[in-house]
Amino acid sequence: MKHLFALVLPILVLATKPSQHDSDFSLRNLQNAVDRANTTHESKGKSEPVHTYQPTWDSLDSRPLPAWYDEAKFGIFIHWGVFSVPSFVSEWFWWYWKGSPQQKVVDFMSKNYPPEFTYADFAKSFKAEFYDPNQWADLFEESGAQYIVLTSKHHEGFTNWPSSVSWNWNSKDVGPNRDLVGELATAIRNRTNIHFGLYHSLFEWFNPVYLADKETNFTRKNFVNDKTIPELYEIVNTYKPDIVWSDGDAGPVEYWNSTGFLAWLYNESPVKDTVVTNDRWGSGTACKHGGYYTCQDRYNPGKLQNHKWENCMTIDKRSWGYRRDATIDEYLTIEEILSTLASTISCGGNMLMNVGPTHEGTIVPIFQERLKQIGSWLKVNGEAVYSSKPWPTAQNDSYTANIWYTTKDSYVYAFVLSWPKDNLLVLGSPTASSQEGKVTMLGRSEPLNWMVFNKQLQITFPDIPASDLPCQWAWVIRLAGFK
């Protein structure tokens, strides 16, 4: 029991010393926002009422998703925190040590650290001494990503910004002694056109105030009032993210006051017109409520959905945070990543691909390589990705496997993940509108020969050296005059 107390000491202190901003200011603001959302507003100089969103799911879910998000298609997730110091097993290291112990984690600690060592002791080694946000921004831009989502706080409770409600358990007070969130936000906005987003965990595994609220079956809301809501206000007002990516939502919506916060976010926040949100706002909300659906990690249904969704996935097959114990076969190949991208966007989703920086603040070469590879591919094939829509006729081909479709303007795009045998691609889904149809490979100007045989479209791929191909993996065919 004494050992557990030491583990949560930094969080216990912050929880028992809430500032005036923690409770009074944020709660007053939130209540005022909810009250205003329940009244009719009129715009200045106009007699017609301004649409406001009520703190109910029916109202909040009626908000149109800002167009930029669907057009973006591809983003980068960044999991970074104190868990990047042990960098063993996954970002859930603390939970696997003290919450639901895994033997290999327990053994790792007993072999490498003294008995009195606590998880909080890792924070002083989270130095981020090589963290160069400009370098990160340039790498993300080279990847072709249109948005990023950085962990502002994971389930461990450590905030990557100098939060006023996380005393001595934030990146300014201990470890880096820097505002990690603010520095990256500035670099992204100064150097790129990428949308900046933030991940935020509602709950904290070992925060005693959260655990005490949980013991009351969430009828008491001290943790939400003094910690969660003030944090959400801070990151929105300070960093103005275009995405608020919520997680760690164990507990009912009423406990988290999610609908009240979202009403403020959509009606009054500094990002009310551009911000998008996901679906993790309380028990039972995933895949049901929110701006877009994530449903579960690595969600990829393989068929068209009737609501905008996102496939948040990892290059490291086993972890979101950086792992020192990862082997090369545990990383996705670029071919696997492009297959995931094609299958995701063809069914109406976005792909949010995760990298895990080290505690020194570097992005290791394997992650850099994958980002540069997908970036080089998107330079050739981005036409079929950005601002595309699912093709209503079919998402994947009816005859040849591993062919996925998108559409934009009057074109149909076929993503060919494997070079066809004997250079002959046979497609069962497209139908020529006339003999004037034209088939080209993105990155090459010369049209490809095609014909219809037995109601199937046969396309002859170019017989050229590999060095003359527009890209090394996954070729996109543009069909003009097909339906």
Side-chain angles (χ1 to χ4, degrees), residues 339-374:
S339 175
T340 302
L341 176 65
S343 61
T344 297
I345 65 175
S346 69
C347 297
N350 280 17
M351 187 177 82
L352 182 64
M353 185 172 73
N354 181 77
V355 298
T358 68
H359 67 83
E360 296 97 346
T362 62
I363 297 175
V364 295
I366 188 69
F367 290 143
Q368 291 187 41
E369 181 182 56
R370 295 296 180 268
L371 293 176
K372 290 174 180 286
Q373 286 173 329
I374 195 171

mmCIF file of all heavy atoms in Angstrom, residues 339-374:
data_model
loop_
_atom_site.group_PDB
_atom_site.id
_atom_site.type_symbol
_atom_site.label_atom_id
_atom_site.label_comp_id
_atom_site.label_asym_id
_atom_site.label_seq_id
_atom_site.Cartn_x
_atom_site.Cartn_y
_atom_site.Cartn_z
ATOM 1 N N SER A 339 -1.659 -0.937 -48.492
ATOM 2 C CA SER A 339 -2.859 -1.775 -48.558
ATOM 3 C C SER A 339 -3.902 -1.294 -47.558
ATOM 4 O O SER A 339 -5.104 -1.210 -47.867
ATOM 5 C CB SER A 339 -2.496 -3.235 -48.281
ATOM 6 O OG SER A 339 -3.645 -4.048 -48.226
ATOM 7 N N THR A 340 -3.441 -0.938 -46.355
ATOM 8 C CA THR A 340 -4.353 -0.417 -45.329
ATOM 9 C C THR A 340 -4.950 0.913 -45.757
ATOM 10 O O THR A 340 -6.156 1.152 -45.579
ATOM 11 C CB THR A 340 -3.612 -0.268 -43.994
ATOM 12 O OG1 THR A 340 -3.087 -1.532 -43.598
ATOM 13 C CG2 THR A 340 -4.539 0.248 -42.908
ATOM 14 N N LEU A 341 -4.122 1.786 -46.309
ATOM 15 C CA LEU A 341 -4.618 3.081 -46.770
ATOM 16 C C LEU A 341 -5.681 2.909 -47.842
ATOM 17 O O LEU A 341 -6.759 3.521 -47.775
ATOM 18 C CB LEU A 341 -3.466 3.926 -47.308
ATOM 19 C CG LEU A 341 -3.850 5.282 -47.911
ATOM 20 C CD1 LEU A 341 -4.422 6.209 -46.840
ATOM 21 C CD2 LEU A 341 -2.656 5.935 -48.606
ATOM 22 N N ALA A 342 -5.401 2.070 -48.839
ATOM 23 C CA ALA A 342 -6.347 1.882 -49.943
ATOM 24 C C ALA A 342 -7.664 1.302 -49.462
ATOM 25 O O ALA A 342 -8.749 1.765 -49.841
ATOM 26 C CB ALA A 342 -5.723 0.977 -51.006
ATOM 27 N N SER A 343 -7.604 0.288 -48.612
ATOM 28 C CA SER A 343 -8.839 -0.342 -48.129
ATOM 29 C C SER A 343 -9.621 0.589 -47.213
ATOM 30 O O SER A 343 -10.854 0.509 -47.134
ATOM 31 C CB SER A 343 -8.513 -1.655 -47.403
ATOM 32 O OG SER A 343 -7.694 -1.430 -46.272
ATOM 33 N N THR A 344 -8.918 1.488 -46.525
ATOM 34 C CA THR A 344 -9.578 2.428 -45.618
ATOM 35 C C THR A 344 -10.313 3.519 -46.381
ATOM 36 O O THR A 344 -11.517 3.744 -46.175
ATOM 37 C CB THR A 344 -8.543 3.046 -44.656
ATOM 38 O OG1 THR A 344 -7.974 2.020 -43.832
ATOM 39 C CG2 THR A 344 -9.195 4.103 -43.777
ATOM 40 N N ILE A 345 -9.609 4.222 -47.268
ATOM 41 C CA ILE A 345 -10.245 5.360 -47.939
ATOM 42 C C ILE A 345 -11.297 4.920 -48.939
ATOM 43 O O ILE A 345 -12.249 5.657 -49.202
ATOM 44 C CB ILE A 345 -9.196 6.284 -48.603
ATOM 45 C CG1 ILE A 345 -8.468 5.573 -49.735
ATOM 46 C CG2 ILE A 345 -8.220 6.808 -47.560
ATOM 47 C CD1 ILE A 345 -7.519 6.487 -50.503
ATOM 48 N N SER A 346 -11.158 3.714 -49.495
ATOM 49 C CA SER A 346 -12.173 3.235 -50.441
ATOM 50 C C SER A 346 -13.513 3.008 -49.761
ATOM 51 O O SER A 346 -14.557 3.036 -50.413
ATOM 52 C CB SER A 346 -11.706 1.943 -51.109
ATOM 53 O OG SER A 346 -11.683 0.881 -50.179
ATOM 54 N N CYS A 347 -13.475 2.794 -48.455
ATOM 55 C CA CYS A 347 -14.700 2.552 -47.689
ATOM 56 C C CYS A 347 -15.119 3.778 -46.880
ATOM 57 O O CYS A 347 -15.944 3.676 -45.972
ATOM 58 C CB CYS A 347 -14.517 1.347 -46.772
ATOM 59 S SG CYS A 347 -14.220 -0.203 -47.659
ATOM 60 N N GLY A 348 -14.532 4.933 -47.203
ATOM 61 C CA GLY A 348 -14.969 6.179 -46.589
ATOM 62 C C GLY A 348 -14.228 6.608 -45.349
ATOM 63 O O GLY A 348 -14.626 7.574 -44.696
ATOM 64 N N GLY A 349 -13.145 5.915 -44.994
ATOM 65 C CA GLY A 349 -12.426 6.257 -43.782
ATOM 66 C C GLY A 349 -11.206 7.121 -44.021
ATOM 67 O O GLY A 349 -10.790 7.341 -45.153
ATOM 68 N N ASN A 350 -10.642 7.622 -42.938
ATOM 69 C CA ASN A 350 -9.320 8.237 -42.919
ATOM 70 C C ASN A 350 -8.359 7.273 -42.248
ATOM 71 O O ASN A 350 -8.775 6.491 -41.373
ATOM 72 C CB ASN A 350 -9.321 9.545 -42.138
ATOM 73 C CG ASN A 350 -9.849 10.723 -42.926
ATOM 74 O OD1 ASN A 350 -10.511 10.543 -43.945
ATOM 75 N ND2 ASN A 350 -9.579 11.924 -42.455
ATOM 76 N N MET A 351 -7.088 7.330 -42.597
ATOM 77 C CA MET A 351 -6.080 6.527 -41.918
ATOM 78 C C MET A 351 -5.206 7.434 -41.060
ATOM 79 O O MET A 351 -4.593 8.369 -41.565
ATOM 80 C CB MET A 351 -5.208 5.757 -42.912
ATOM 81 C CG MET A 351 -4.255 4.772 -42.229
ATOM 82 S SD MET A 351 -3.261 3.776 -43.375
ATOM 83 C CE MET A 351 -1.934 4.936 -43.763
ATOM 84 N N LEU A 352 -5.167 7.150 -39.762
ATOM 85 C CA LEU A 352 -4.325 7.872 -38.817
ATOM 86 C C LEU A 352 -3.219 6.927 -38.378
ATOM 87 O O LEU A 352 -3.447 6.013 -37.593
ATOM 88 C CB LEU A 352 -5.153 8.350 -37.615
ATOM 89 C CG LEU A 352 -4.418 9.172 -36.558
ATOM 90 C CD1 LEU A 352 -3.920 10.494 -37.129
ATOM 91 C CD2 LEU A 352 -5.329 9.438 -35.349
ATOM 92 N N MET A 353 -2.011 7.125 -38.912
ATOM 93 C CA MET A 353 -0.896 6.202 -38.720
ATOM 94 C C MET A 353 0.018 6.667 -37.603
ATOM 95 O O MET A 353 0.494 7.798 -37.610
ATOM 96 C CB MET A 353 -0.114 6.048 -40.027
ATOM 97 C CG MET A 353 0.992 5.019 -39.966
ATOM 98 S SD MET A 353 1.727 4.704 -41.596
ATOM 99 C CE MET A 353 2.673 6.222 -41.833
ATOM 100 N N ASN A 354 0.294 5.788 -36.653
ATOM 101 C CA ASN A 354 1.006 6.167 -35.437
ATOM 102 C C ASN A 354 2.515 5.943 -35.518
ATOM 103 O O ASN A 354 2.983 4.938 -36.050
ATOM 104 C CB ASN A 354 0.461 5.356 -34.258
ATOM 105 C CG ASN A 354 1.146 5.732 -32.955
ATOM 106 O OD1 ASN A 354 0.849 6.763 -32.358
ATOM 107 N ND2 ASN A 354 2.082 4.903 -32.508
ATOM 108 N N VAL A 355 3.254 6.901 -34.958
ATOM 109 C CA VAL A 355 4.676 6.737 -34.677
ATOM 110 C C VAL A 355 4.899 7.024 -33.202
ATOM 111 O O VAL A 355 4.175 7.820 -32.598
ATOM 112 C CB VAL A 355 5.556 7.670 -35.536
ATOM 113 C CG1 VAL A 355 5.390 7.358 -37.003
ATOM 114 C CG2 VAL A 355 5.240 9.137 -35.270
ATOM 115 N N GLY A 356 5.900 6.381 -32.618
ATOM 116 C CA GLY A 356 6.219 6.591 -31.215
ATOM 117 C C GLY A 356 7.626 7.135 -31.057
ATOM 118 O O GLY A 356 8.593 6.396 -31.271
ATOM 119 N N PRO A 357 7.789 8.412 -30.709
ATOM 120 C CA PRO A 357 9.132 8.972 -30.507
ATOM 121 C C PRO A 357 9.814 8.385 -29.268
ATOM 122 O O PRO A 357 9.161 7.851 -28.359
ATOM 123 C CB PRO A 357 8.867 10.467 -30.325
ATOM 124 C CG PRO A 357 7.495 10.700 -30.870
ATOM 125 C CD PRO A 357 6.745 9.435 -30.611
ATOM 126 N N THR A 358 11.123 8.516 -29.216
ATOM 127 C CA THR A 358 11.889 8.086 -28.050
ATOM 128 C C THR A 358 11.804 9.143 -26.949
ATOM 129 O O THR A 358 11.385 10.277 -27.188
ATOM 130 C CB THR A 358 13.371 7.886 -28.405
ATOM 131 O OG1 THR A 358 13.957 9.162 -28.712
ATOM 132 C CG2 THR A 358 13.516 6.966 -29.626
ATOM 133 N N HIS A 359 12.265 8.768 -25.764
ATOM 134 C CA HIS A 359 12.228 9.755 -24.668
ATOM 135 C C HIS A 359 13.233 10.871 -24.898
ATOM 136 O O HIS A 359 13.111 11.955 -24.317
ATOM 137 C CB HIS A 359 12.469 9.076 -23.316
ATOM 138 C CG HIS A 359 13.837 8.503 -23.126
ATOM 139 N ND1 HIS A 359 14.918 9.244 -22.725
ATOM 140 C CD2 HIS A 359 14.304 7.237 -23.282
ATOM 141 C CE1 HIS A 359 15.984 8.474 -22.617
ATOM 142 N NE2 HIS A 359 15.642 7.249 -22.958
ATOM 143 N N GLU A 360 14.190 10.657 -25.797
ATOM 144 C CA GLU A 360 15.110 11.744 -26.139
ATOM 145 C C GLU A 360 14.487 12.748 -27.106
ATOM 146 O O GLU A 360 15.047 13.822 -27.334
ATOM 147 C CB GLU A 360 16.389 11.182 -26.778
ATOM 148 C CG GLU A 360 17.211 10.297 -25.862
ATOM 149 C CD GLU A 360 16.916 8.818 -26.077
ATOM 150 O OE1 GLU A 360 15.902 8.507 -26.740
ATOM 151 O OE2 GLU A 360 17.697 7.984 -25.593
ATOM 152 N N GLY A 361 13.357 12.356 -27.719
ATOM 153 C CA GLY A 361 12.701 13.269 -28.645
ATOM 154 C C GLY A 361 13.023 13.010 -30.099
ATOM 155 O O GLY A 361 12.795 13.881 -30.945
ATOM 156 N N THR A 362 13.522 11.822 -30.413
ATOM 157 C CA THR A 362 13.828 11.469 -31.797
ATOM 158 C C THR A 362 12.771 10.520 -32.353
ATOM 159 O O THR A 362 12.130 9.774 -31.605
ATOM 160 C CB THR A 362 15.203 10.801 -31.917
ATOM 161 O OG1 THR A 362 15.203 9.575 -31.163
ATOM 162 C CG2 THR A 362 16.296 11.711 -31.396
ATOM 163 N N ILE A 363 12.610 10.558 -33.650
ATOM 164 C CA ILE A 363 11.774 9.593 -34.367
ATOM 165 C C ILE A 363 12.734 8.641 -35.058
ATOM 166 O O ILE A 363 13.514 9.056 -35.925
ATOM 167 C CB ILE A 363 10.848 10.299 -35.367
ATOM 168 C CG1 ILE A 363 9.881 11.222 -34.609
ATOM 169 C CG2 ILE A 363 10.076 9.293 -36.209
ATOM 170 C CD1 ILE A 363 8.990 12.059 -35.504
ATOM 171 N N VAL A 364 12.711 7.384 -34.660
ATOM 172 C CA VAL A 364 13.746 6.436 -35.076
ATOM 173 C C VAL A 364 13.680 6.167 -36.584
ATOM 174 O O VAL A 364 12.636 6.369 -37.223
ATOM 175 C CB VAL A 364 13.638 5.118 -34.290
ATOM 176 C CG1 VAL A 364 13.931 5.353 -32.818
ATOM 177 C CG2 VAL A 364 12.260 4.482 -34.469
ATOM 178 N N PRO A 365 14.797 5.724 -37.178
ATOM 179 C CA PRO A 365 14.877 5.567 -38.632
ATOM 180 C C PRO A 365 13.791 4.718 -39.265
ATOM 181 O O PRO A 365 13.333 5.035 -40.369
ATOM 182 C CB PRO A 365 16.269 4.956 -38.827
ATOM 183 C CG PRO A 365 17.081 5.517 -37.700
ATOM 184 C CD PRO A 365 16.125 5.564 -36.544
ATOM 185 N N ILE A 366 13.341 3.654 -38.597
ATOM 186 C CA ILE A 366 12.315 2.803 -39.218
ATOM 187 C C ILE A 366 11.018 3.598 -39.422
ATOM 188 O O ILE A 366 10.346 3.468 -40.450
ATOM 189 C CB ILE A 366 12.050 1.520 -38.392
ATOM 190 C CG1 ILE A 366 11.140 0.548 -39.146
ATOM 191 C CG2 ILE A 366 11.476 1.842 -37.019
ATOM 192 C CD1 ILE A 366 11.763 -0.083 -40.337
ATOM 193 N N PHE A 367 10.657 4.445 -38.458
ATOM 194 C CA PHE A 367 9.472 5.299 -38.615
ATOM 195 C C PHE A 367 9.717 6.372 -39.673
ATOM 196 O O PHE A 367 8.839 6.666 -40.494
ATOM 197 C CB PHE A 367 9.107 5.959 -37.289
ATOM 198 C CG PHE A 367 8.564 5.010 -36.248
ATOM 199 C CD1 PHE A 367 8.882 5.169 -34.913
ATOM 200 C CD2 PHE A 367 7.727 3.966 -36.604
ATOM 201 C CE1 PHE A 367 8.379 4.310 -33.945
ATOM 202 C CE2 PHE A 367 7.215 3.083 -35.643
ATOM 203 C CZ PHE A 367 7.545 3.264 -34.317
ATOM 204 N N GLN A 368 10.912 6.958 -39.671
ATOM 205 C CA GLN A 368 11.226 7.956 -40.677
ATOM 206 C C GLN A 368 11.125 7.360 -42.082
ATOM 207 O O GLN A 368 10.584 7.997 -43.000
ATOM 208 C CB GLN A 368 12.645 8.499 -40.466
ATOM 209 C CG GLN A 368 12.815 9.340 -39.220
ATOM 210 C CD GLN A 368 14.194 9.978 -39.165
ATOM 211 O OE1 GLN A 368 14.712 10.447 -40.170
ATOM 212 N NE2 GLN A 368 14.796 9.985 -37.981
ATOM 213 N N GLU A 369 11.642 6.155 -42.231
ATOM 214 C CA GLU A 369 11.615 5.520 -43.552
ATOM 215 C C GLU A 369 10.186 5.303 -44.030
ATOM 216 O O GLU A 369 9.856 5.610 -45.186
ATOM 217 C CB GLU A 369 12.352 4.183 -43.515
ATOM 218 C CG GLU A 369 12.381 3.481 -44.873
ATOM 219 C CD GLU A 369 13.064 2.141 -44.815
ATOM 220 O OE1 GLU A 369 12.635 1.282 -43.989
ATOM 221 O OE2 GLU A 369 14.012 1.924 -45.592
ATOM 222 N N ARG A 370 9.339 4.803 -43.150
ATOM 223 C CA ARG A 370 7.942 4.566 -43.555
ATOM 224 C C ARG A 370 7.255 5.892 -43.916
ATOM 225 O O ARG A 370 6.483 5.950 -44.878
ATOM 226 C CB ARG A 370 7.182 3.852 -42.444
ATOM 227 C CG ARG A 370 7.665 2.450 -42.144
ATOM 228 C CD ARG A 370 7.454 1.508 -43.330
ATOM 229 N NE ARG A 370 7.927 0.174 -43.004
ATOM 230 C CZ ARG A 370 9.166 -0.269 -43.260
ATOM 231 N NH1 ARG A 370 10.043 0.515 -43.882
ATOM 232 N NH2 ARG A 370 9.523 -1.493 -42.915
ATOM 233 N N LEU A 371 7.508 6.935 -43.156
ATOM 234 C CA LEU A 371 6.897 8.234 -43.451
ATOM 235 C C LEU A 371 7.389 8.775 -44.790
ATOM 236 O O LEU A 371 6.599 9.308 -45.584
ATOM 237 C CB LEU A 371 7.201 9.227 -42.330
ATOM 238 C CG LEU A 371 6.562 8.931 -40.967
ATOM 239 C CD1 LEU A 371 7.029 9.936 -39.929
ATOM 240 C CD2 LEU A 371 5.046 8.925 -41.047
ATOM 241 N N LYS A 372 8.671 8.658 -45.055
ATOM 242 C CA LYS A 372 9.210 9.127 -46.325
ATOM 243 C C LYS A 372 8.707 8.278 -47.493
ATOM 244 O O LYS A 372 8.452 8.800 -48.594
ATOM 245 C CB LYS A 372 10.737 9.118 -46.271
ATOM 246 C CG LYS A 372 11.337 10.182 -45.361
ATOM 247 C CD LYS A 372 12.850 10.012 -45.233
ATOM 248 C CE LYS A 372 13.466 11.064 -44.328
ATOM 249 N NZ LYS A 372 13.527 12.397 -44.969
ATOM 250 N N GLN A 373 8.560 6.978 -47.270
ATOM 251 C CA GLN A 373 8.066 6.099 -48.328
ATOM 252 C C GLN A 373 6.634 6.434 -48.724
ATOM 253 O O GLN A 373 6.316 6.565 -49.913
ATOM 254 C CB GLN A 373 8.160 4.625 -47.878
ATOM 255 C CG GLN A 373 9.568 4.069 -47.869
ATOM 256 C CD GLN A 373 9.625 2.683 -47.261
ATOM 257 O OE1 GLN A 373 8.839 2.325 -46.368
ATOM 258 N NE2 GLN A 373 10.566 1.861 -47.727
ATOM 259 N N ILE A 374 5.765 6.589 -47.733
ATOM 260 C CA ILE A 374 4.377 6.907 -48.074
ATOM 261 C C ILE A 374 4.287 8.305 -48.668
ATOM 262 O O ILE A 374 3.459 8.567 -49.557
ATOM 263 C CB ILE A 374 3.439 6.746 -46.847
ATOM 264 C CG1 ILE A 374 1.976 6.722 -47.309
ATOM 265 C CG2 ILE A 374 3.671 7.815 -45.801
ATOM 266 C CD1 ILE A 374 0.998 6.344 -46.219
#
